[in-house]
Amino acid sequence: MTITAFGKYTAPKSTPITADLDGWKPVAGTPSMKTWIENKTADGKFLTGFWEAMPGTYHVTYKADELIHLFEGKVTLTEDGTGKTAQFSAGDSFQIDAGFVGTWKTEERIRKIFAIRIA
């Protein structure tokens, strides 16, 4: 049996990556992010960790499925083409499927835990 313990979302165990994610392009404001990868499978296809983002808007292209639980903050997602929007705030859990293209607007600083499965 393998069990992996993470740090706390306010004090992750790993060193943060401060570069914007692949497929994320700033389009409004001065958004920034930090990603802490707390665990990755040997094949690199399943990643889990913490993420923090400061207010602003990114145009995003999701290349993987992602499960999210927000500890802090507020985000608005808007899908390209349809204009369909969804808002989430602290305490919410949701999934974004690979193939989503649209905007991620961080309304208030985000702190979340994520699980990403790369196809």
Side-chain angles (χ1 to χ4, degrees):
M1 173 169 61
T2 301
I3 297 174
T4 303
F6 292 4
K8 297 189 180 297
Y9 77 95
T10 56
K13 287 183 176 181
S14 59
T15 302
I17 300 164
T18 57
D20 289 344
L21 298 170
D22 184 36
W24 289 58
K25 296 179 182 169
V27 294
T30 54
S32 64
M33 63 176 73
K34 292 181 184 175
T35 306
W36 293 267
I37 298 174
E38 297 283 282
N39 191 48
K40 179 168 48 169
T41 56
D43 65 5
K45 293 189 177 213
F46 187 67
L47 301 101
T48 51
F50 300 111
W51 190 75
E52 178 182 87
M54 300 309 284
T57 305
Y58 286 98
H59 187 266
V60 301
T61 300
Y62 266 74
K63 298 176 184 174
D65 297 324
E66 180 178 17
L67 173 68
I68 296 167
H69 176 78
L70 295 179
F71 296 113
E72 298 178 8
K74 182 178 175 184
V75 61
T76 301
L77 301 172
T78 304
E79 185 177 38
D80 282 0
T82 67
K84 183 178 175 182
T85 64
Q87 289 189 322
F88 301 98
S89 57
D92 290 340
S93 299
F94 56 101
Q95 179 176 320
I96 300 174
D97 293 334
F100 173 82
V101 177
T103 57
W104 172 292
K105 182 176 183 181
T106 300
E107 309 275 355
E108 299 170 4
R109 181 182 71 177
I110 296 286
R111 285 193 174 169
K112 71 178 188 180
I113 191 168
F114 65 85
I116 294 174
R117 179 182 51 132
I118 301 168

